[in-house]
Amino acid sequence: EIVMTQSPATLSVSPGERATLSCRASQSVSSKLAWYQQKPGQAPRLLIYGASTRATGIPARFSGSGSGTDFTLTISSLQPEDFAVYFCHQYYDWLTFGGGTKVEI
Amino acid sequence: QVQLQESGPGLVKPSETLSLTCTVSGDSISSYYWSWIRQPPGKGLEWIGYIYYSGTTNYSPSLKSRVTISVDTSKKQFSLKLSSVTAADTAVYYCASYRRGTFDYWGQGTLVTVS
């Protein structure tokens, strides 16, 4: 099983600042990596797939990068609605998720 | 737009079988694969398995021995059965559409407590 490790567990930032979230795979997943956002009491929402392609309706301030084992989700200027938990997900071999990064004020 | 709604008991006794159903609306059931994912309280996400409208299934290796996912195309529903449950199976269970590797649409989730 491919293990996905996210860091940091919690990221404290202020509105308007840039947030950088990391996700590392235990072996290469090529570009088969997605990111999801989850707000309290809600289901996750797909943000990014193919490591860098924004899903439909996702604002341009969200961007993804990386390939192989190391990936990054960047939120260029945090808006109040962006404070949430973010999960990475690999679909190269079976389907596994990272433990999540909580972005808090 | 696809809409998904989970239904089923919120409380299951240890050693019994957890059963949930997801009702699909807004698109053809043949447009996607259909998946179950769970999230223990305060923890991360775990993929359980998925099914295609034809009945083809794929299950997580860690749960395969206890999981059955089925589909009823006439009702636009798919179902999850998880046998021999323990407290470790307590989680919010989500149904979701699955296509080309990602989960595009999700149900609101339903909490199932094993106790």
Side-chain angles (χ1 to χ4, degrees):
Chain A
E1 174 181 305
I2 298 177
V3 177
M4 307 301 291
T5 302
Q6 291 186 242
S7 62
T10 304
L11 184 61
S12 298
V13 293
S14 299
E17 290 187 338
R18 182 186 191 93
T20 303
L21 289 66
S22 295
C23 176
R24 174 166 290 178
S26 60
Q27 63 189 75
S28 177
V29 299
S30 184
S31 293
K32 296 189 182 298
L33 190 285
W35 291 93
Y36 298 82
Q37 176 194 66
Q38 186 177 34
K39 297 180 181 179
Q42 296 185 17
R45 175 176 70 145
L46 177 65
L47 297 176
I48 301 283
Y49 63 92
S52 60
T53 302
R54 280 189 301 278
T56 302
I58 302 304
R61 64 181 180 273
F62 291 92
S63 63
S65 63
S67 66
T69 60
D70 291 302
F71 301 87
T72 300
L73 174 69
T74 301
I75 311 170
S76 60
S77 177
L78 275 158
Q79 301 301 299
E81 62 267 28
D82 300 335
F83 292 92
V85 179
Y86 294 82
F87 293 98
C88 61
H89 157 224
Q90 69 80 21
Y91 48 98
Y92 179 80
D93 183 29
W94 298 101
L95 304 170
T96 54
F97 293 87
T101 291
K102 181 180 181 180
V103 177
E104 65 175 22
I105 299 175
Chain B
Q1 168 136 343
V2 175
Q3 293 185 317
L4 301 164
Q5 179 65 58
E6 304 91 349
S7 59
L11 182 64
V12 180
K13 291 182 169 57
S15 79
E16 294 189 345
T17 296
L18 178 160
S19 296
L20 295 172
T21 296
C22 183
T23 302
V24 179
S25 60
D27 204 341
S28 169
I29 199 163
S30 63
S31 297
Y32 295 86
Y33 285 75
W34 303 100
S35 187
W36 289 97
I37 298 156
R38 69 181 183 179
Q39 185 174 34
K43 296 188 178 180
L45 299 161
E46 179 181 23
W47 171 67
I48 299 170
Y50 60 68
I51 190 166
Y52 196 44
Y53 79 100
S54 62
T56 300
T57 56
N58 199 4
Y59 300 138
S60 166
S62 64
L63 295 169
K64 185 174 184 177
S65 63
R66 298 195 291 132
V67 172
T68 302
I69 298 176
S70 59
V71 64
D72 185 334
T73 56
S74 65
K75 294 182 179 179
K76 295 185 73 175
Q77 293 179 333
F78 63 103
S79 298
L80 168 70
K81 290 188 185 300
L82 181 66
S83 64
S84 304
V85 297
T86 69
D89 295 309
T90 293
V92 175
Y93 285 76
Y94 295 100
C95 58
S97 65
Y98 174 75
R99 184 165 62 179
R100 293 191 293 268
T102 60
F103 304 100
D104 301 328
Y105 300 101
W106 297 64
Q108 64 185 25
T110 186
L111 175 63
V112 179
T113 301
V114 178
S115 178

